[in-house]
Amino acid sequence: MRSLVYCNKPLEVCYGCKACQQVCPKDAITMVDNEEGFWFPCIDTDKCIDCGLCQRVCPTQDENMSTLFHATPEQVYAAWNSNLAERLESTSGGMFFLLARQFMRDGGVVYGVDYRENLTVFHRRFEDVETLKRARGSKYVQSDINDTFLQVKADLKAGRKVMFSGTPCQIAGLRLFLRKTYENLLTIDLVCHGVPSPLFFRENLASLEKEYGDRIVDFKFRAKKKSGWRSYVKYVFNRHKPIWAFLGKNYYTHAFHLGYFNRLSCYSCDFSRSERVGDITLSDFWGGEAHSRMLKKARKWGFNLVMCNTLRGRRLFDAVAEQIESLECPVEWAIQGDVRLRHAEKCPRMRDEAYKILNEKGYAYMSSMYGIKESMLQRMVPVWAKNLIREIQSRI
């Protein structure tokens, strides 16, 4: 019988990057879900040989963190894919897909996020452009890294060029896991709002499937239409026609933007700063349109913040220059517009009760009690009119 004990790191600091599990030479570490649906490392004390490798790859250790950060670049970019059809398939400006496709064309493989058939979110290896399309679009759930760090190491040792995209804590975990610098590795970190648990997302899907009587086969956060970016969420069903709804009407996305269900470590995240761990940093360029008419117009279909933190990252960005439109901007614009480039977001009071209410009373109760409630007048206004109002406001 195995003797499993939780890692001695407090649960509120663990990022769940799984670097410790993958580096263990004795397979003594298992990731176990807690009552909130987040995974944490448990150690089989019968197998553990106290080698200390798990400590040396853990991004919660100050001595490990000091070597990870790149200097904040003085200039950044607001950038977007010139191909509108491709841009519409992406959450913001479509820069991840362009960069990853170029990396593949140069002979590399790409690691990014996909849905499994049951819509659990996981990291995987992409080798062709057609399959890479599945990585487009944000997926606001903590992704399962599974054994991709081991796969990356094997690719790098075989001489393959590798791109790995993820949250900054995942990038940190990968770099510490590798324990050396590889010239054939390029990393992309995201300016992260925090990660809700897969449990919460499953409850959301189950509620929608019960409501509409059909299985959901795709869930698109912040989907777009040709008329512009309207903060839609799109439910794609097995038989039922797709449904578009404003983000606030879906309780999961509403609670995500308010930070109700994030992993506890997200509220003290050491990676919420302008010094980044990836060769390239991607995000929405929040507030960019306040400084430029060009960006005010571009916001209709979304644009990215691109930070080139290393020469390797800058070379890849330059390689897609003919496929994009961009504006060079002072980094202060980005830092001013996004609190997560300054510090972690505070834990909202609702977080203390959120999972307790979810576990005791269920998702449907939470959605009905805490979701956005429109007045009778608001419900009577057609969607096209709401869009027109938003369009006028965006141009003022």
Side-chain angles (χ1 to χ4, degrees), residues 220-234:
K220 295 185 180 296
F221 296 91
R222 291 169 56 194
K224 299 176 189 172
K225 294 184 177 182
K226 287 186 178 180
S227 59
W229 187 23
R230 303 291 180 228
S231 295
Y232 288 115
V233 62
K234 183 181 179 182

Side-chain angles (χ1 to χ4, degrees), residues 2 133 181 198 233 364:
R2 292 193 303 171
K133 293 177 181 179
T181 300
V233 62

Side-chain angles (χ1 to χ4, degrees), residues 208-223:
L208 290 169
E209 290 177 342
K210 182 178 180 180
E211 179 180 355
Y212 293 102
D214 196 6
R215 181 170 63 90
I216 294 179
V217 297
D218 195 7
F219 189 98
K220 295 185 180 296
F221 296 91
R222 291 169 56 194

Side-chain angles (χ1 to χ4, degrees), residues 282-341:
L282 294 179
S283 181
D284 293 298
F285 199 144
W286 296 118
E289 61 269 31
H291 303 279
S292 165
R293 281 188 175 275
M294 177 184 182
L295 298 184
K296 204 166 191 178
K297 182 179 179 181
R299 178 59 77 190
K300 182 174 182 179
W301 291 291
F303 56 88
N304 282 107
L305 165 67
V306 182
M307 300 174 67
C308 298
N309 305 310
T310 66
L311 180 58
R312 186 182 297 123
R314 178 57 192 253
R315 286 170 177 163
L316 180 59
F317 179 71
D318 288 344
V320 301
E322 294 183 357
Q323 304 171 58
I324 68 174
E325 294 182 61
S326 66
L327 178 68
E328 189 173 12
C329 312
V331 71
E332 287 76 19
W333 289 8
I335 295 172
Q336 177 185 346
D338 197 331
V339 64
R340 294 155 293 187
L341 290 173

Side-chain angles (χ1 to χ4, degrees), residues 48-194:
C48 178
I49 58 174
D50 292 320
C51 65
L53 282 177
C54 56
Q55 297 281 347
R56 293 199 286 273
V57 303
C58 180
T60 68
Q61 305 299 294
D62 290 340
E63 61 270 26
N64 297 339
M65 292 276 287
S66 61
T67 64
L68 294 177
F69 292 99
H70 306 295
T72 303
E74 293 183 1
Q75 298 294 116
V76 297
Y77 295 88
W80 57 95
N81 190 338
S82 300
N83 184 321
L84 180 59
E86 291 183 348
R87 190 172 162 199
L88 289 174
E89 293 299 321
S90 300
T91 301
S92 299
M95 288 303 299
F96 166 75
F97 181 70
L98 279 183
L99 294 167
R101 182 173 64 186
Q102 183 65 45
F103 195 84
M104 278 188 173
R105 288 173 174 172
D106 292 339
V109 295
V110 174
Y111 288 80
V113 174
D114 193 3
Y115 283 125
R116 294 188 178 97
E117 187 175 349
N118 63 356
L119 295 189
T120 53
V121 176
F122 74 115
H123 263 73
R124 58 166 291 189
R125 186 178 191 266
F126 296 94
E127 287 195 87
D128 63 88
V129 173
E130 189 60 33
T131 309
L132 179 66
K133 293 177 181 179
R134 295 181 57 85
R136 292 188 294 196
S138 297
K139 299 169 181 68
Y140 297 138
V141 190
Q142 181 158 39
S143 65
D144 180 4
I145 286 290
N146 53 79
D147 66 348
T148 52
F149 291 0
L150 289 165
Q151 295 178 51
V152 167
K153 188 173 185 178
D155 276 335
L156 293 171
K157 284 190 169 184
R160 296 296 303 272
K161 291 176 57 179
V162 175
M163 171 191 283
F164 193 98
S165 172
T167 60
C169 57
Q170 291 171 336
I171 300 300
L174 171 65
R175 289 179 55 196
L176 291 169
F177 168 85
L178 293 172
R179 287 182 288 160
K180 62 175 286 189
T181 300
Y182 287 86
E183 293 301 317
N184 49 331
L185 172 66
L186 184 141
T187 56
I188 295 180
D189 76 65
L190 311 173
V191 181
C192 179
H193 180 59

Side-chain angles (χ1 to χ4, degrees), residues 65 69 72 191 269-276 307 339-344:
M65 292 276 287
F69 292 99
T72 303
V191 181
C269 177
D270 287 320
F271 302 99
S272 294
R273 57 171 80 178
S274 60
E275 301 88 2
R276 310 300 297 175
M307 300 174 67
V339 64
R340 294 155 293 187
L341 290 173
R342 304 192 299 272
H343 53 77

